[in-house]
Amino acid sequence: MQETGSTPRPAKKPVWAVQTTCPVPNEHDVLRVFMEGAKALNRSTAEIKAPSLEPVDMEWVGHCTTKTKSAIKEVGISPEKQYQGLLQDTSASTIFHLHGGAFIFGSPAASQVITAKLSCMTSARCVSVNYRLSPQHTFPAALLDVLLAYLTILYPPPSSIHEPVPHSSIIFTGDSAGGCLCLALLQVILHFQRTSTRTIRFHGRNVTIPAPAGVACLSTYGDQTLSLPSWMDNKKYDYFLDAAPYALPGYPSCDIWPASPPRANIYCNDFLLCHPWVSPTIAESWNGSPPMWLACGEERMADSSKVIAQRAAKQGVTVVWEQYEAMPHCFPLIPVLNELPQGKRCFRGWAEFMKICFEDPSELTTKGTFVAAKTAKETEVPCSEVIDLEFGEVTWRMKAAMLAVEASFSKWNHEAAKEQNGNAREAIPIASGI
């Protein structure tokens, strides 16, 4: 599944694609303050194990102009020269992109068709992060990777091919699991700003960890418990099964799944499902956030981003919310659907939000829009009314679902251990539908 889901999907038009690596700093501050924050927000009895801090691969992507097309085809061109070519064709604005894939598959190469299109529509350069995947690497490994990548964009070490990029010229973007990681990374930054963690040592310097200019997420997978009403109410519009393929009967076992020690959720320890860095939907505060663009279809995970949009708007954050009637998860990225008026409208809204964030964020105002299926007619919806669900009920539902998953899985695991029936197994009671 990981190999198939990470297959390169190159852009249709010539683009710059430059691979680089974020080196690990000699200091231990990044891992130390990250784990202090993760543990401070942990309300469960589960231990959060610190992952190792590893080098992180990235891909810089930029649209190509007619003048530089021949340079792309030059054999043996160095990464440094490729990057200089990219700079000629793009602005200094930077889209920090995190790919989707349910945390278990995907790669910068597989999402190049997305990053290239966003670069073309905004004239910005994109940098796509190759974060660690589950189940081999559980939470918080992927989130630590994207934090290291963000710091490297802001404060590149001497060996980097890029110059420092100011935070006011960076926007986080992501789809599905990538959208979740974008919002989780924003929660990491906001936590640092609310605590005494003002500076850290990074490659020999004292640096701050500022928020980006904006966050733009499509079909955010923000609730790992899948406990909100839309998960069942919108089932007819979406392509997700009630259980993930790897949790269905007869799915073959392998060296990495089922996990050892066993767990129900493929991304994290079951008792961490309601950690705000795992499920940002349950985050209590978005105060201090930059402007947000959140869009989704009438999909099973719609409520997870609706809750975030409504709560952030009520707390004074500028929020641009878009929902598309009868459209499934990540519909603008799906062939055929991306050619519909709704698919084109969504991608255009995504790009326009970023352009305004880069050029003049003061022009942005909080606004909600519902786009009809047959006519593509747009109806304005107040962001304070996108979901009829109080935050207290949201947290109750999510915490109850987390406890139910853990209880069911413990019982299932106990019975399965008795039978030991090889690869064939009953469906795992799992809090992950993709």
Side-chain angles (χ1 to χ4, degrees):
M1 182 183 288
Q2 287 186 340
E3 184 176 350
T4 302
S6 301
T7 301
R9 294 177 60 208
K12 296 179 180 179
K13 298 180 180 179
V15 295
W16 294 103
V18 189
Q19 284 73 41
T20 62
T21 299
C22 306
V24 175
N26 292 326
E27 305 90 348
H28 301 292
D29 271 22
V30 175
L31 181 58
R32 177 182 59 80
V33 300
F34 176 81
M35 289 307 302
E36 287 176 355
K39 291 176 180 178
L41 296 172
N42 183 15
R43 300 293 182 262
S44 75
T45 58
E47 177 187 0
I48 303 178
K49 294 184 178 180
S52 58
L53 191 61
E54 301 286 345
V56 179
D57 293 333
M58 303 187 301
E59 181 178 75
W60 290 91
V61 175
H63 73 287
C64 175
T65 64
T66 304
K67 293 181 180 179
T68 56
K69 279 184 180 180
S70 59
I72 286 182
K73 299 178 182 178
E74 185 178 332
V75 178
I77 183 172
S78 67
E80 290 77 11
K81 190 173 181 181
Q82 290 182 63
Y83 185 73
Q84 291 306 311
L86 181 149
L87 291 182
Q88 294 179 36
D89 290 342
T90 59
S91 69
S93 302
T94 301
I95 298 170
F96 183 84
H97 184 76
L98 305 178
H99 65 78
F103 304 105
I104 61 175
F105 59 83
S107 67
S111 59
Q112 190 184 103
V113 66
I114 303 170
T115 51
K117 187 171 183 176
L118 289 174
S119 174
C120 182
M121 295 179 75
T122 62
S123 297
R125 52 189 170 177
C126 286
V127 59
S128 187
V129 183
N130 196 29
Y131 57 83
R132 282 175 280 186
L133 301 175
S134 296
Q136 306 98 307
H137 307 286
T138 57
F139 171 83
L143 187 56
L144 179 61
D145 287 349
V146 299
L147 173 61
L148 176 61
Y150 180 51
L151 288 169
T152 302
I153 300 302
L154 292 169
Y155 311 109
S159 60
S160 300
I161 62 173
H162 71 279
E163 298 294 321
V165 181
H167 68 97
S168 58
S169 296
I170 300 173
I171 291 179
F172 295 169
T173 71
D175 57 280
S176 191
C180 177
L181 286 170
C182 284
L183 292 166
L185 179 58
L186 178 58
Q187 279 293 320
V188 171
I189 295 167
L190 294 176
H191 176 76
F192 289 160
Q193 293 179 349
R194 295 179 190 126
T195 62
S196 58
T197 309
R198 299 298 180 187
T199 62
I200 63 170
R201 292 290 292 175
F202 188 71
H203 291 295
R205 292 179 288 173
N206 290 327
V207 302
T208 59
I209 310 176
V215 180
C217 302
L218 172 67
S219 292
T220 300
Y221 181 13
D223 168 24
Q224 309 307 317
T225 70
L226 306 180
S227 60
L228 302 181
S230 63
W231 181 251
M232 296 309 298
D233 294 348
N234 294 350
K235 184 176 180 178
K236 62 182 178 181
Y237 300 115
D238 222 337
Y239 46 79
F240 289 134
L241 302 172
D242 288 339
Y246 47 80
L248 295 175
Y251 193 84
S253 300
C254 64
D255 292 340
I256 59 175
W257 189 258
S260 179
R263 64 180 189 274
N265 189 275
I266 205 163
Y267 177 55
C268 69
N269 181 298
D270 304 325
F271 275 121
L272 296 175
L273 288 169
C274 289
H275 193 293
W277 294 3
V278 172
S279 294
T281 299
I282 206 170
E284 294 184 2
S285 176
W286 295 96
N287 287 312
S289 295
M292 294 181 178
W293 179 88
L294 299 169
C296 68
E298 200 163 1
E299 58 187 270
R300 301 189 76 174
M301 284 186 276
D303 284 352
S304 71
S305 52
K306 281 185 176 182
V307 170
I308 295 171
Q310 182 166 285
R311 189 158 183 81
K314 287 183 176 181
Q315 293 174 345
V317 178
T318 300
V319 177
V320 178
W321 163 257
E322 296 176 7
Q323 184 173 24
Y324 294 78
E325 184 182 17
M327 292 291 107
H329 184 70
C330 288
F331 68 95
L333 312 183
I334 300 172
V336 179
L337 293 183
N338 61 4
E339 294 299 326
L340 295 177
Q342 292 86 345
K344 293 179 179 179
R345 163 68 177 80
C346 187
F347 236 111
R348 187 170 65 251
W350 202 358
E352 287 178 353
F353 170 85
M354 288 189 275
K355 289 171 68 176
I356 297 173
C357 262
F358 286 138
E359 296 167 8
D360 189 1
S362 64
E363 291 186 7
L364 289 169
T365 57
T366 294
K367 180 182 179 182
T369 305
F370 184 82
V371 182
K374 293 183 179 180
T375 62
K377 179 182 177 181
E378 299 183 15
T379 303
E380 189 167 335
V381 180
C383 281
S384 59
E385 301 175 9
V386 295
I387 185 169
D388 186 19
L389 200 63
E390 294 296 326
F391 188 68
E393 184 178 349
V394 171
T395 58
W396 179 86
R397 281 174 171 267
M398 291 178 65
K399 290 177 180 178
M402 177 187 70
L403 294 175
V405 166
E406 175 58 26
S408 298
F409 180 73
S410 296
K411 181 180 178 181
W412 173 89
N413 191 50
H414 178 71
E415 293 173 352
K418 289 182 179 179
E419 295 182 8
Q420 289 292 323
N421 59 348
N423 286 349
R425 62 181 189 271
E426 297 177 1
I428 301 174
I430 195 164
S432 180
I434 42 178

